[in-house]
Coordinates of all heavy atoms in Angstrom, one line a residue:
Q1 N 0.8 -1.2 0.0 CA 0.0 0.0 0.0 C 0.9 1.2 0.0 O 1.8 1.3 0.8 CB -0.9 0.0 1.2 CG -1.8 1.2 1.3 CD -2.7 1.1 2.6 OE1 -2.6 0.2 3.3 NE2 -3.5 2.1 2.7
D2 N 0.6 2.2 -0.9 CA 1.3 3.4 -0.9 C 0.7 4.4 0.0 O -0.5 4.6 0.1 CB 1.3 4.0 -2.3 CG 2.2 3.2 -3.3 OD1 3.1 2.6 -2.8 OD2 1.8 3.2 -4.5
Y3 N 1.5 5.1 0.8 CA 1.1 6.1 1.7 C 1.4 7.5 1.1 O 2.5 7.7 0.5 CB 1.7 6.0 3.1 CG 1.3 4.7 3.7 CD1 2.1 3.6 3.8 CD2 0.1 4.6 4.4 CE1 1.7 2.4 4.4 CE2 -0.3 3.5 5.0 CZ 0.5 2.4 5.0 OH 0.1 1.2 5.6
P4 N 0.6 8.5 1.3 CA 0.9 9.8 0.7 C 1.8 10.6 1.6 O 1.9 11.9 1.5 CB -0.5 10.5 0.7 CG -1.3 9.8 1.8 CD -0.8 8.4 1.9
W5 N 2.5 10.0 2.5 CA 3.4 10.7 3.4 C 4.7 11.1 2.7 O 5.2 10.3 1.9 CB 3.7 9.9 4.6 CG 2.5 9.5 5.4 CD1 1.3 10.1 5.6 CD2 2.4 8.3 6.2 NE1 0.5 9.5 6.3 CE2 1.1 8.3 6.7 CE3 3.2 7.2 6.4 CZ2 0.6 7.3 7.5 CZ3 2.7 6.2 7.2 CH2 1.4 6.2 7.8
K6 N 5.2 12.2 3.1 CA 6.5 12.6 2.6 C 7.4 13.0 3.8 O 6.9 13.4 4.8 CB 6.4 13.9 1.7 CG 5.7 13.7 0.4 CD 5.8 14.9 -0.4 CE 5.3 14.7 -1.8 NZ 5.4 15.9 -2.6
A7 N 8.7 12.8 3.6 CA 9.6 13.2 4.6 C 9.5 14.7 4.9 O 9.6 15.5 3.9 CB 11.0 12.8 4.3
S8 N 9.4 15.1 6.1 CA 9.4 16.5 6.4 C 10.8 17.0 6.8 O 11.0 18.2 6.9 CB 8.5 16.8 7.6 OG 8.9 16.1 8.7
L9 N 11.8 16.1 6.8 CA 13.1 16.5 7.1 C 14.1 15.7 6.2 O 14.1 14.5 6.2 CB 13.5 16.1 8.6 CG 14.9 16.3 9.0 CD1 15.3 17.8 9.0 CD2 15.2 15.7 10.4
T10 N 14.9 16.5 5.5 CA 16.0 15.9 4.8 C 17.2 16.8 5.0 O 17.1 18.0 5.1 CB 15.7 15.8 3.2 OG1 15.4 17.1 2.8 CG2 14.5 14.8 3.0
S11 N 18.4 16.2 5.1 CA 19.6 17.0 5.3 C 20.7 16.3 4.6 O 20.9 15.1 4.7 CB 19.8 17.1 6.8 OG 21.1 17.8 7.0
H12 N 21.5 17.1 3.9 CA 22.7 16.6 3.3 C 23.9 17.4 3.8 O 24.8 17.7 3.0 CB 22.6 16.7 1.7 CG 21.4 15.9 1.2 ND1 21.4 14.6 1.3 CD2 20.3 16.3 0.6 CE1 20.2 14.2 0.8 NE2 19.5 15.2 0.4
Q13 N 23.8 17.8 5.0 CA 24.9 18.6 5.6 C 26.2 17.9 5.6 O 26.2 16.7 6.0 CB 24.5 18.9 7.1 CG 25.5 19.8 7.8 CD 25.5 21.2 7.3 OE1 24.5 21.8 6.9 NE2 26.7 21.8 7.2
G14 N 27.2 18.5 5.1 CA 28.5 17.9 5.1 C 28.8 17.0 3.9 O 29.7 16.2 3.9
G15 N 27.9 17.0 2.9 CA 28.1 16.2 1.7 C 27.0 15.3 1.4 O 25.9 15.5 2.0
P16 N 27.1 14.4 0.5 CA 26.0 13.5 0.1 C 25.6 12.6 1.3 O 26.4 12.4 2.2 CB 26.5 12.7 -1.0 CG 28.0 12.8 -0.9 CD 28.3 14.1 -0.2
P17 N 24.4 12.2 1.3 CA 24.0 11.3 2.4 C 24.8 10.1 2.5 O 25.1 9.5 1.5 CB 22.5 11.0 2.1 CG 22.3 11.3 0.7 CD 23.4 12.3 0.3
P18 N 25.2 9.7 3.7 CA 26.0 8.4 3.8 C 25.1 7.2 3.8 O 23.9 7.3 3.9 CB 26.6 8.6 5.2 CG 25.6 9.4 6.0 CD 25.0 10.4 4.9
S19 N 25.7 6.1 3.6 CA 25.0 4.8 3.6 C 24.5 4.6 5.1 O 25.1 5.1 6.0 CB 25.8 3.7 3.2 OG 26.9 3.4 4.1
A20 N 23.4 3.9 5.2 CA 22.9 3.6 6.5 C 23.8 2.9 7.5 O 23.8 3.1 8.7 CB 21.6 2.8 6.4
S21 N 24.8 2.2 6.9 CA 25.7 1.4 7.8 C 26.8 2.3 8.3 O 27.6 1.9 9.2 CB 26.2 0.2 7.0 OG 27.0 0.7 5.9
S22 N 27.0 3.5 7.7 CA 28.1 4.3 8.2 C 27.7 5.6 8.8 O 28.5 6.5 9.0 CB 29.0 4.6 7.0 OG 28.3 5.4 6.1
A23 N 26.5 5.7 9.2 CA 26.0 7.0 9.8 C 25.2 6.7 11.1 O 24.6 5.6 11.2 CB 25.2 7.8 8.8
S24 N 25.2 7.6 12.0 CA 24.4 7.5 13.2 C 23.9 8.9 13.5 O 24.5 9.9 13.2 CB 25.3 7.1 14.4 OG 24.6 7.1 15.6
Y25 N 22.7 9.0 14.0 CA 22.1 10.2 14.4 C 21.3 10.1 15.6 O 20.8 9.0 16.0 CB 21.3 10.9 13.3 CG 20.0 10.1 13.0 CD1 18.8 10.5 13.6 CD2 20.0 9.1 12.1 CE1 17.6 9.8 13.4 CE2 18.8 8.4 11.8 CZ 17.6 8.8 12.5 OH 16.5 8.1 12.2
A26 N 21.1 11.2 16.4 CA 20.3 11.1 17.6 C 19.6 12.5 17.7 O 20.2 13.5 17.6 CB 21.2 10.9 18.8
W27 N 18.3 12.4 18.0 CA 17.5 13.6 18.2 C 17.7 14.1 19.6 O 17.9 13.3 20.5 CB 16.0 13.3 18.0 CG 15.6 13.1 16.6 CD1 15.4 12.0 15.9 CD2 15.3 14.2 15.7 NE1 15.1 12.2 14.6 CE2 15.0 13.6 14.4 CE3 15.3 15.6 15.7 CZ2 14.7 14.3 13.3 CZ3 15.0 16.3 14.6 CH2 14.7 15.7 13.4
Y28 N 17.7 15.4 19.7 CA 17.8 16.1 21.0 C 16.6 15.6 21.9 O 15.5 15.7 21.5 CB 17.8 17.6 20.9 CG 17.9 18.3 22.2 CD1 19.0 18.2 23.0 CD2 16.9 19.2 22.6 CE1 19.1 18.9 24.1 CE2 17.0 19.9 23.7 CZ 18.1 19.8 24.5 OH 18.2 20.5 25.7
P29 N 16.9 15.0 23.1 CA 15.8 14.3 23.8 C 14.8 15.3 24.4 O 13.6 14.9 24.7 CB 16.6 13.7 25.0 CG 17.9 14.4 25.1 CD 18.2 14.9 23.7
L30 N 15.0 16.6 24.5 CA 14.1 17.5 25.0 C 13.4 18.3 23.9 O 12.8 19.4 24.1 CB 14.7 18.5 26.0 CG 15.4 17.8 27.2 CD1 16.1 18.8 28.1 CD2 14.5 16.9 27.9
M31 N 13.5 17.8 22.6 CA 13.0 18.5 21.5 C 11.5 18.6 21.5 O 10.8 17.7 21.9 CB 13.4 17.8 20.2 CG 12.8 18.4 19.0 SD 12.8 17.2 17.6 CE 11.6 18.0 16.6
T32 N 11.0 19.8 21.2 CA 9.6 20.0 20.9 C 9.5 20.7 19.6 O 10.2 21.7 19.4 CB 8.8 20.8 22.0 OG1 9.5 22.1 22.2 CG2 8.9 20.1 23.4
S33 N 8.6 20.2 18.7 CA 8.6 20.9 17.4 C 8.0 22.3 17.4 O 8.2 23.0 16.5 CB 7.7 20.0 16.5 OG 6.4 19.8 17.0
S34 N 7.4 22.7 18.5 CA 6.9 24.1 18.6 C 8.0 25.0 19.0 O 7.8 26.2 19.0 CB 5.7 24.1 19.6 OG 6.1 23.7 20.9
S35 N 9.2 24.5 19.4 CA 10.3 25.3 19.8 C 11.5 25.1 18.9 O 12.2 24.1 19.1 CB 10.7 25.0 21.3 OG 11.8 25.7 21.6
P36 N 11.7 26.0 17.9 CA 12.8 25.8 17.0 C 14.1 25.7 17.7 O 15.0 25.0 17.2 CB 12.7 27.0 16.1 CG 11.3 27.4 16.1 CD 10.8 27.1 17.5
L37 N 14.3 26.3 18.8 CA 15.6 26.3 19.5 C 15.9 24.9 19.9 O 17.1 24.5 20.0 CB 15.5 27.2 20.7 CG 16.8 27.4 21.5 CD1 17.9 28.0 20.7 CD2 16.5 28.3 22.7
T38 N 14.9 24.0 20.2 CA 15.2 22.7 20.7 C 15.1 21.7 19.6 O 15.3 20.5 19.8 CB 14.2 22.3 21.8 OG1 12.9 22.2 21.2 CG2 14.2 23.2 22.9
S39 N 14.8 22.1 18.4 CA 14.6 21.1 17.2 C 16.0 20.9 16.5 O 16.3 21.6 15.6 CB 13.6 21.7 16.3 OG 12.3 21.8 16.9
L40 N 16.7 20.0 17.0 CA 18.0 19.7 16.5 C 18.3 18.2 16.7 O 17.7 17.5 17.5 CB 19.1 20.5 17.1 CG 19.1 20.6 18.7 CD1 20.1 19.6 19.2 CD2 19.5 22.0 19.1
Y41 N 19.4 17.8 16.0 CA 19.8 16.4 16.1 C 21.3 16.4 15.9 O 21.9 17.3 15.3 CB 19.1 15.4 15.2 CG 19.3 15.7 13.7 CD1 20.3 15.0 13.0 CD2 18.5 16.6 13.0 CE1 20.5 15.3 11.6 CE2 18.7 16.9 11.7 CZ 19.7 16.2 11.0 OH 19.9 16.4 9.6
A42 N 22.0 15.4 16.4 CA 23.4 15.2 16.3 C 23.6 14.0 15.3 O 22.9 13.1 15.2 CB 24.1 14.8 17.6
T43 N 24.7 14.1 14.5 CA 25.0 13.1 13.5 C 26.5 12.9 13.4 O 27.3 13.8 13.6 CB 24.4 13.5 12.1 OG1 24.6 12.4 11.2 CG2 24.9 14.7 11.5
C44 N 26.9 11.7 13.0 CA 28.3 11.4 12.8 C 28.4 10.4 11.6 O 27.5 9.7 11.3 CB 29.0 10.9 14.0 SG 28.4 9.3 14.6
R45 N 29.6 10.4 11.0 CA 29.8 9.6 9.8 C 31.1 8.7 10.0 O 31.4 8.0 9.1 CB 30.0 10.4 8.6 CG 28.8 11.2 8.2 CD 29.2 12.1 7.0 NE 28.0 13.0 6.7 CZ 27.4 12.9 5.6 NH1 27.7 12.0 4.7 NH2 26.4 13.6 5.3
G46 N 31.7 8.8 11.1 CA 33.0 8.0 11.3 C 34.1 8.6 10.5 O 34.1 9.8 10.2
N47 N 35.1 7.8 10.3 CA 36.4 8.3 9.6 C 37.0 9.5 10.3 O 37.2 9.5 11.5 CB 36.1 8.5 8.1 CG 35.6 7.3 7.4 OD1 36.1 6.2 7.6 ND2 34.6 7.5 6.6
S48 N 37.2 10.5 9.6 CA 37.8 11.7 10.1 C 36.8 12.9 10.2 O 37.2 14.0 10.1 CB 39.0 12.2 9.3 OG 40.0 11.2 9.3
M49 N 35.5 12.6 10.4 CA 34.5 13.6 10.4 C 34.1 13.9 11.8 O 33.9 13.0 12.6 CB 33.3 13.1 9.6 CG 33.5 12.8 8.1 SD 33.9 14.3 7.2 CE 32.3 15.1 7.2
P50 N 33.9 15.1 12.2 CA 33.4 15.5 13.5 C 31.9 15.1 13.7 O 31.2 14.8 12.7 CB 33.6 17.0 13.6 CG 33.6 17.5 12.2 CD 34.1 16.3 11.3
I51 N 31.5 15.2 14.9 CA 30.0 15.1 15.2 C 29.4 16.5 14.8 O 30.0 17.5 15.2 CB 29.8 14.9 16.7 CG1 30.4 13.5 17.1 CG2 28.3 14.9 17.0 CD1 30.4 13.2 18.6
H52 N 28.3 16.5 14.1 CA 27.7 17.7 13.7 C 26.3 17.8 14.5 O 25.6 16.9 14.6 CB 27.4 17.8 12.2 CG 28.6 17.9 11.4 ND1 29.5 18.9 11.5 CD2 29.1 17.1 10.4 CE1 30.5 18.8 10.7 NE2 30.3 17.7 10.0
L53 N 26.0 19.0 14.9 CA 24.7 19.3 15.5 C 23.9 20.1 14.4 O 24.4 21.2 14.0 CB 24.9 20.2 16.8 CG 23.8 20.3 17.7 CD1 23.3 19.0 18.3 CD2 24.1 21.3 18.9
I54 N 22.8 19.6 14.0 CA 22.1 20.1 12.8 C 20.7 20.6 13.3 O 20.0 20.0 14.1 CB 21.8 19.0 11.8 CG1 23.1 18.3 11.4 CG2 21.1 19.5 10.6 CD1 24.1 19.1 10.7
D55 N 20.4 21.8 12.8 CA 19.1 22.4 13.0 C 18.0 21.7 12.2 O 18.2 21.5 11.0 CB 19.1 23.9 12.6 CG 17.8 24.6 12.9 OD1 16.8 24.3 12.4 OD2 17.9 25.6 13.7
A56 N 17.0 21.1 12.8 CA 16.0 20.3 12.2 C 15.1 21.1 11.3 O 14.5 20.6 10.3 CB 15.2 19.6 13.2
Y57 N 15.0 22.4 11.5 CA 14.1 23.2 10.6 C 14.8 23.7 9.4 O 14.2 23.7 8.3 CB 13.6 24.5 11.4 CG 12.4 24.2 12.3 CD1 12.6 23.9 13.6 CD2 11.1 24.3 11.8 CE1 11.5 23.7 14.4 CE2 10.0 24.0 12.5 CZ 10.2 23.7 13.9 OH 9.1 23.5 14.7
T58 N 16.1 24.1 9.5 CA 16.8 24.7 8.4 C 17.9 23.8 7.8 O 18.4 24.1 6.7 CB 17.5 26.0 8.8 OG1 18.5 25.7 9.8 CG2 16.4 27.0 9.4
S59 N 18.2 22.7 8.4 CA 19.3 21.8 8.0 C 20.7 22.5 8.1 O 21.7 22.0 7.6 CB 19.1 21.2 6.6 OG 18.0 20.4 6.6
Q60 N 20.7 23.6 8.8 CA 22.0 24.3 9.0 C 22.8 23.7 10.1 O 22.3 23.2 11.1 CB 21.7 25.8 9.3 CG 21.1 26.5 8.1 CD 21.9 26.6 6.9 OE1 23.1 26.9 6.9 NE2 21.4 26.2 5.8
L61 N 24.1 23.8 10.0 CA 25.0 23.3 11.0 C 25.0 24.3 12.2 O 25.3 25.5 12.0 CB 26.4 23.2 10.4 CG 27.5 22.7 11.3 CD1 27.3 21.3 11.7 CD2 28.9 22.9 10.6
R62 N 24.7 23.8 13.3 CA 24.7 24.6 14.5 C 26.1 24.6 15.3 O 26.5 25.5 15.9 CB 23.6 24.2 15.5 CG 22.3 24.7 15.1 CD 21.4 24.6 16.3 NE 20.0 24.8 16.0 CZ 19.0 24.7 16.9 NH1 19.3 24.4 18.1 NH2 17.8 24.9 16.5
A63 N 26.7 23.4 15.3 CA 28.0 23.2 16.0 C 28.7 22.0 15.5 O 28.0 21.1 14.9 CB 27.8 23.1 17.5
S64 N 30.0 21.9 15.7 CA 30.7 20.7 15.4 C 31.5 20.3 16.6 O 32.0 21.2 17.3 CB 31.7 20.9 14.2 OG 31.0 21.1 13.0
Y65 N 31.7 19.0 16.8 CA 32.4 18.5 18.0 C 33.5 17.6 17.4 O 33.1 16.6 16.8 CB 31.5 17.8 19.0 CG 30.4 18.7 19.5 CD1 29.2 18.8 18.8 CD2 30.7 19.6 20.6 CE1 28.2 19.6 19.3 CE2 29.7 20.4 21.0 CZ 28.4 20.4 20.4 OH 27.4 21.3 20.8
R66 N 34.8 17.9 17.7 CA 35.9 17.1 17.1 C 36.6 16.2 18.1 O 37.3 16.7 18.9 CB 36.8 18.1 16.5 CG 36.3 18.8 15.3 CD 37.2 19.8 14.7 NE 36.7 20.4 13.5 CZ 35.8 21.3 13.3 NH1 35.2 21.8 14.4 NH2 35.4 21.7 12.1
P67 N 36.3 14.9 18.1 CA 37.0 14.1 19.0 C 38.4 13.7 18.5 O 38.6 13.5 17.3 CB 36.2 12.8 19.1 CG 35.1 12.9 18.0 CD 35.3 14.3 17.4
Y68 N 39.4 13.7 19.4 CA 40.8 13.3 19.1 C 41.2 12.1 19.8 O 40.8 11.8 20.9 CB 41.7 14.5 19.5 CG 41.5 15.7 18.6 CD1 40.6 16.7 18.9 CD2 42.3 15.8 17.5 CE1 40.4 17.8 18.1 CE2 42.1 16.9 16.6 CZ 41.2 17.9 17.0 OH 41.0 19.0 16.2
N69 N 42.0 11.2 19.1 CA 42.4 10.0 19.7 C 43.6 10.1 20.5 O 44.1 11.3 20.8 CB 42.6 8.9 18.6 CG 43.7 9.3 17.6 OD1 44.5 10.1 17.9 ND2 43.6 8.6 16.4
G70 N 44.2 9.0 21.0 CA 45.3 9.1 21.9 C 46.6 9.7 21.3 O 47.5 10.0 22.0
V71 N 46.7 9.8 20.0 CA 47.9 10.4 19.4 C 47.5 11.8 18.8 O 48.2 12.2 17.8 CB 48.5 9.5 18.3 CG1 49.2 8.3 19.0 CG2 47.5 9.0 17.3
D72 N 46.5 12.4 19.3 CA 46.0 13.7 19.0 C 45.7 13.9 17.5 O 45.9 14.9 16.9 CB 47.1 14.7 19.3 CG 46.5 16.1 19.6 OD1 45.4 16.2 20.0 OD2 47.3 17.1 19.4
E73 N 45.0 12.9 16.9 CA 44.5 13.0 15.6 C 43.0 13.0 15.6 O 42.4 12.3 16.4 CB 44.9 11.7 14.7 CG 46.4 11.6 14.6 CD 46.8 10.2 14.0 OE1 46.0 9.2 14.2 OE2 47.8 10.2 13.3
L74 N 42.4 13.8 14.7 CA 40.9 13.8 14.6 C 40.4 12.5 14.2 O 40.9 11.9 13.2 CB 40.5 14.9 13.6 CG 39.0 15.0 13.4 CD1 38.2 15.3 14.6 CD2 38.7 15.9 12.2
E75 N 39.5 11.9 15.0 CA 38.9 10.6 14.6 C 37.4 10.7 14.9 O 37.0 10.9 16.0 CB 39.6 9.5 15.5 CG 39.1 8.1 15.0 CD 39.9 7.0 15.7 OE1 40.8 7.3 16.5 OE2 39.5 5.9 15.5
G76 N 36.7 10.4 13.8 CA 35.2 10.5 13.9 C 34.6 9.3 14.5 O 35.0 8.2 14.1
P77 N 33.6 9.4 15.3 CA 32.9 8.3 15.9 C 31.9 7.7 14.9 O 31.6 8.4 13.9 CB 32.2 8.8 17.1 CG 31.9 10.2 16.7 CD 33.1 10.7 15.9
T78 N 31.5 6.5 15.1 CA 30.4 5.9 14.2 C 29.1 5.8 15.0 O 28.1 5.5 14.4 CB 30.9 4.4 13.8 OG1 31.1 3.7 15.0 CG2 32.1 4.5 12.9
V79 N 29.1 6.2 16.2 CA 27.8 6.2 17.0 C 27.8 7.5 17.8 O 28.8 7.9 18.4 CB 27.8 5.0 18.0 CG1 26.5 5.0 18.8 CG2 27.9 3.7 17.2
V80 N 26.6 8.1 17.8 CA 26.4 9.4 18.5 C 25.1 9.3 19.3 O 24.2 8.6 18.9 CB 26.4 10.6 17.6 CG1 25.2 10.6 16.7 CG2 26.5 11.9 18.4
E81 N 25.1 9.9 20.5 CA 23.9 9.8 21.4 C 23.9 11.0 22.3 O 25.0 11.4 22.7 CB 23.8 8.5 22.1 CG 22.5 8.3 22.9 CD 21.3 8.3 22.0 OE1 21.2 7.4 21.2 OE2 20.5 9.2 22.1
F82 N 22.8 11.5 22.7 CA 22.6 12.5 23.8 C 22.4 11.9 25.1 O 21.9 10.7 25.2 CB 21.4 13.4 23.5 CG 21.6 14.4 22.4 CD1 21.2 14.2 21.1 CD2 22.1 15.7 22.7 CE1 21.3 15.1 20.2 CE2 22.3 16.7 21.8 CZ 21.9 16.4 20.5
S83 N 22.8 12.5 26.2 CA 22.5 12.1 27.5 C 21.0 12.3 27.6 O 20.4 13.1 26.9 CB 23.2 12.9 28.6 OG 22.9 14.3 28.5
P84 N 20.3 11.6 28.5 CA 18.8 11.7 28.7 C 18.4 13.1 29.0 O 17.3 13.5 28.5 CB 18.5 10.8 29.8 CG 19.6 9.7 29.8 CD 20.8 10.5 29.4
D85 N 19.2 13.9 29.7 CA 18.8 15.3 30.0 C 19.2 16.3 28.9 O 18.9 17.5 29.0 CB 19.3 15.7 31.3 CG 20.8 15.8 31.4 OD1 21.5 15.6 30.4 OD2 21.3 16.2 32.5
G86 N 19.9 15.8 27.9 CA 20.3 16.6 26.7 C 21.5 17.5 27.0 O 21.9 18.3 26.2
S87 N 22.1 17.4 28.1 CA 23.3 18.2 28.5 C 24.6 17.8 27.9 O 25.5 18.6 27.9 CB 23.4 18.4 30.0 OG 23.8 17.1 30.6
R88 N 24.7 16.6 27.4 CA 25.9 16.0 26.9 C 25.7 15.3 25.6 O 24.6 14.8 25.3 CB 26.6 15.0 27.9 CG 26.9 15.6 29.2 CD 28.3 16.0 29.3 NE 28.7 16.3 30.6 CZ 28.8 17.5 31.1 NH1 28.5 18.5 30.4 NH2 29.2 17.7 32.3
I89 N 26.7 15.2 24.8 CA 26.7 14.4 23.5 C 27.8 13.4 23.7 O 28.9 13.7 24.1 CB 27.0 15.3 22.3 CG1 25.8 16.3 22.1 CG2 27.1 14.4 21.0 CD1 26.1 17.3 21.0
Y90 N 27.5 12.2 23.4 CA 28.5 11.1 23.5 C 28.8 10.6 22.1 O 27.9 10.4 21.3 CB 28.0 9.9 24.3 CG 27.6 10.3 25.7 CD1 26.3 10.4 26.1 CD2 28.6 10.5 26.7 CE1 25.9 10.7 27.4 CE2 28.3 10.9 28.0 CZ 26.9 11.0 28.3 OH 26.6 11.3 29.6
G91 N 30.0 10.3 21.8 CA 30.5 9.7 20.6 C 31.3 8.5 20.9 O 32.2 8.5 21.7
T92 N 31.1 7.4 20.1 CA 32.0 6.2 20.3 C 32.0 5.4 19.0 O 31.4 5.8 18.0 CB 31.4 5.3 21.5 OG1 32.4 4.3 21.8 CG2 30.1 4.7 21.2
G93 N 32.7 4.3 19.0 CA 32.9 3.5 17.8 C 34.1 3.9 17.0 O 34.1 3.9 15.8
F94 N 35.1 4.3 17.7 CA 36.4 4.8 17.1 C 37.2 3.5 16.6 O 37.1 2.5 17.2 CB 37.2 5.6 18.1 CG 36.5 6.8 18.5 CD1 35.9 6.9 19.8 CD2 36.4 7.9 17.7 CE1 35.3 8.0 20.2 CE2 35.8 9.1 18.1 CZ 35.2 9.1 19.4
K95 N 38.0 3.7 15.6 CA 38.8 2.6 15.1 C 40.0 2.3 15.9 O 40.4 1.2 16.0 CB 39.2 2.9 13.6 CG 38.1 2.9 12.6 CD 38.6 3.2 11.2 CE 37.5 3.2 10.3 NZ 37.9 3.5 8.9
T96 N 40.6 3.3 16.5 CA 41.9 3.1 17.2 C 41.7 2.7 18.7 O 42.7 2.1 19.2 CB 42.7 4.3 17.2 OG1 42.1 5.4 17.8 CG2 43.1 4.7 15.7
D97 N 40.6 3.0 19.3 CA 40.5 2.6 20.7 C 39.0 2.5 21.1 O 38.1 2.7 20.3 CB 41.2 3.6 21.6 CG 40.8 5.0 21.5 OD1 39.6 5.2 21.0 OD2 41.5 5.9 21.8
R98 N 38.8 2.1 22.3 CA 37.4 1.9 22.8 C 37.0 3.0 23.8 O 36.5 2.7 24.8 CB 37.3 0.5 23.5 CG 37.5 -0.6 22.5 CD 37.4 -1.9 23.2 NE 37.6 -3.0 22.2 CZ 37.4 -4.2 22.4 NH1 36.9 -4.6 23.6 NH2 37.6 -5.1 21.5
T99 N 37.2 4.2 23.4 CA 36.9 5.3 24.3 C 35.5 5.9 23.9 O 34.9 5.5 22.9 CB 37.9 6.5 24.1 OG1 37.8 6.9 22.8 CG2 39.3 6.0 24.5
I100 N 35.0 6.7 24.8 CA 33.7 7.4 24.6 C 34.1 8.9 24.8 O 34.6 9.4 25.8 CB 32.7 7.0 25.6 CG1 32.3 5.6 25.5 CG2 31.4 7.9 25.5 CD1 31.4 5.1 26.6
A101 N 33.8 9.7 23.7 CA 34.1 11.1 23.7 C 32.8 11.8 24.3 O 31.7 11.4 23.9 CB 34.3 11.6 22.3
V102 N 33.0 12.7 25.2 CA 31.9 13.4 25.9 C 32.1 14.9 25.6 O 33.1 15.4 25.9 CB 31.9 13.1 27.4 CG1 30.8 13.8 28.1 CG2 31.9 11.6 27.7
F103 N 31.0 15.4 25.1 CA 31.0 16.9 24.9 C 29.8 17.5 25.6 O 28.8 16.9 25.8 CB 30.8 17.2 23.4 CG 31.9 16.6 22.6 CD1 31.8 15.4 21.9 CD2 33.1 17.3 22.4 CE1 32.9 14.9 21.2 CE2 34.2 16.8 21.7 CZ 34.0 15.6 21.1

């Protein structure tokens, strides 16, 4: 059955959309669609890409978070998540070690 629904959010921030297996995203846990200030999500692509905080209304980049590994090289996580209260962003899934970056 075909549904007449369309995606209300699309974002190609930072280049073409990644494959589902190489990207992670997390919605801000205190988001309310009536408050544009809280309508955002975090995304990561792994490799040498930072965590990006994206505005859900405009798809504009609000902030970038750059995790560095033990030899001071930028290393992007493959998994991103907010803390339940929204005060922190966690990134993990690094290739070189088993750390959790906290922002």
Side-chain angles (χ1 to χ4, degrees):
Q1 179 178 2
D2 289 331
Y3 295 101
W5 302 328
K6 288 185 174 184
S8 60
L9 171 69
T10 58
S11 176
H12 301 294
Q13 182 69 35
S19 67
S21 64
S22 66
S24 175
Y25 69 92
W27 285 98
Y28 179 62
L30 305 178
M31 178 201 160
T32 58
S33 59
S34 62
S35 175
L37 186 61
T38 65
S39 297
L40 52 95
Y41 63 97
T43 184
C44 66
R45 296 172 184 250
N47 300 319
S48 300
M49 299 292 290
I51 296 169
H52 291 303
L53 196 61
I54 307 294
D55 186 297
Y57 277 96
T58 65
S59 294
Q60 295 297 310
L61 180 66
R62 285 200 190 173
S64 290
Y65 302 93
R66 293 174 171 81
Y68 290 88
N69 62 20
V71 291
D72 207 27
E73 298 170 328
L74 175 64
E75 185 173 359
T78 56
V79 178
V80 65
E81 187 60 66
F82 282 95
S83 62
D85 66 358
S87 65
R88 302 264 191 260
I89 296 174
Y90 301 107
T92 191
F94 300 101
K95 291 182 180 179
T96 59
D97 56 26
R98 295 181 180 192
T99 62
I100 298 174
V102 180
F103 298 97

